[in-house]
Structure formats: structure tokens, C-alpha cells
Amino acid sequence: MNKWVRRIIVGIVIVVVLFIAAGGVGTSMLMNHLLTPGGVDWSGANNPNPPTDPYELGYRGDPQAALGLPFETVRYETELGEAEAWLVPAANLAGPWAVYVHGIGGIRENGYRQLSILHEAGIPTLLITYRNDKGAPVPDNAIYGFGVDEWRDLDAAVSWVLGRGAPNVILVAESMGGAIAGQFLMHSSQAGKVVALALDAPALDFTEVVADKLGARMIPLARTLARAGIFVFDTYRGVHLNKAVSLDAVAKFPGPLFLAHGTGDSLVPVAISERLVAARTAPTSYLQTGANHLLSFKENPERYRAEMGGFLSSLGR
């Protein structure tokens, strides 16, 4: 091989390696900003002028104020300390109870869309907080872990619900909450108590979430840079976001799944849900909309209610 050709090849390799190294560091710095609690107000929880519609993200107020539903403020013990939750009773105490898990930087109130459907179906519902939330413990290394650590808080909430008399549970989760539910299915000894899943825009593959954001900015080698950034971030923050992939666990879940996701989602790519549906063999109800992140309900509330309500009715409680 001509020495100039070799030099060109070596030069290209060096440039690519430097690009990946620099891109990995840059990606990890961006992740540090986005995943540190308080860095981004993901749900509008700190909006000084919150919406008055309880079905809008960022609404603040308890279930009685929002929907006229009686509720009980309860606490359950996690490995880090007590976390607060709202228990909304319903007609069918002998059937499965639902546990709602909000997304990154979210609040319990984000679950009022699903709560209204669950309550109409007679399903008692626990809207939980977990580590890094207001009303829940904050770990020494405060970071959003896309379920890698947070699943333990969900595990504690499920234990509390079962101890309160629930025979089994329905996990209702959205965005990063879906990742928490997925990690719960992977790791919890109580996974067998889950009889159904209801997920909205679930972030079941963190690498794909990061790669999608880079690709949307026309950055080359997006998936490679995502992996490099996660490696750097995990190394200096002492976390394990490389393990934040639970799509296979949800795909293999033997119970029924209700899934909603919008093709216009700019945070969690709809490709994740499309992969999930393609891999599922158990009953799956997929509501695909054109909405942005967590706005499928808002796009068509009647359709969302009909689809999720029909799914709940099909559980044969």
C-alpha cells in the first residue's frame, strides 16, 4: 500500500477516534445537565403559573381538588427512607390495584389522565413518589437513573399495596416511569404479582433515547457517541445507565399490555414502542397517535379513554 494512502487512512482513524472521544465527553456533559434533578423542569412542576386543567402536564393539586376524588396521603418505606404517595380508593377493592409511576422530573399529578380512567373502571390507584422527588428521599448521588435504581422504590410501593390488601397490581407508567417498570420486571421478586401494564411513551432503551437526540441534530455516529457518552457519564458519576435497557423484559411480560405513543415524540422515540410491539407475543393494545411526548391523551381524549378503558375491561377482574 502506498505510504500516502496509509497516512490518509491513519489520519482518518485518528480524526474519528478524536471525534468519538470529544463527542463522548460532550454528550456526558449534556447528560449531566439533563439528568441532575433540578437541571431541567421536565414537567412544569416549578411553573409559577401552572395550568388549571388537571389533565394538563404541570397541573398541581391533590386528587380531591383536581377530580373531586377522595384520597389518602400515605407513606411507604424505601431503602432510602419514607416516600409519600396518594391512595385513591375505588369500587373494586378485591381486584388488582394500580400503581402509577411518573416520568423524569415529573409529579404525581401527571397521572390524573390515567387515574380518571382507572377510577371509572373501579380500580384503586396509588400515585407514588420515588427518589429525587419532592416528598421522597434524595440519595447522596442525586441523578435520574432511568429505572436502574428507582425500581427499588417501585418495589417498596408494590409491597405496601400488597400489604394493604391488593391481590395483585397493574403498573401504569409513562416516559422514564416505563423504564422503572421495566427494571422492576427484570429485578423484583414481586414481578409475578403484576397482572397488566399500561405504558405511555415508555423510555425502555436509554441508549436509543440519547442516540435519537444526537441524530435529530444531524450529528454523525449518533449511536456510537451515545454509548461513549454513557460510558463517560457512568464512569465519573458512578452510575450504571448502560444498564438502563428493559425493552426485552417488557416484551416478554406474559400479561396484557396497553401502550400509547405519539409519532411526534421529541423526547422518547416512537421506534422504541414499535420495537416493543414487534417483539410482543402476549396480548397488546397499541394506541399510536401523532402527538409529542405524553400528549397522546390531549390529542384525542375520547379515543384514549375508549382504548385504555376497553383494555381495563378486558382484564376480566
Side-chain angles (χ1 to χ4, degrees), residues 96-217:
W97 294 21
V99 178
Y100 168 76
V101 192
H102 65 71
I104 183 170
I107 50 179
R108 286 169 284 183
E109 289 94 325
N110 291 355
Y112 287 159
R113 296 155 295 161
Q114 292 91 338
L115 172 62
S116 64
I117 303 169
L118 291 160
H119 191 76
E120 185 175 345
I123 299 172
T125 302
L126 185 74
L127 300 100
I128 71 168
T129 60
Y130 52 83
R131 63 191 65 198
N132 295 311
D133 281 351
K134 182 179 179 181
V138 177
D140 292 336
N141 187 16
I143 204 76
Y144 293 123
F146 277 74
V148 174
D149 295 314
E150 294 93 342
W151 75 266
R152 296 182 177 88
D153 302 337
L154 173 56
D155 192 49
V158 170
S159 292
W160 187 93
V161 165
L162 296 175
R164 189 70 177 254
N168 40 47
V169 298
I170 302 167
L171 295 184
V172 182
E174 56 188 19
S175 191
M176 190 182 84
I180 296 171
Q183 293 287 331
F184 174 92
L185 293 177
M186 291 173 64
H187 300 296
S188 174
S189 62
Q190 303 182 108
K193 289 292 187 178
V194 179
V195 294
L197 299 173
L199 307 179
D200 194 319
L204 301 175
D205 185 336
F206 182 69
T207 301
E208 185 161 336
V209 171
V210 177
D212 182 74
K213 299 296 134 318
L214 297 174
R217 290 163 176 77

Side-chain angles (χ1 to χ4, degrees), residues 5 14 16 36 38 47 65 108 116 123 172 176 185 187 191 202 209 218 236 241 251 263 274 297 304:
V5 174
I14 292 173
V16 170
T36 299
N47 183 353
R108 286 169 284 183
S116 64
I123 299 172
V172 182
M176 190 182 84
L185 293 177
H187 300 296
V209 171
M218 305 303 291
Y236 87 85
L241 280 164
T263 56
E274 292 171 345
F297 180 95
Y304 198 108

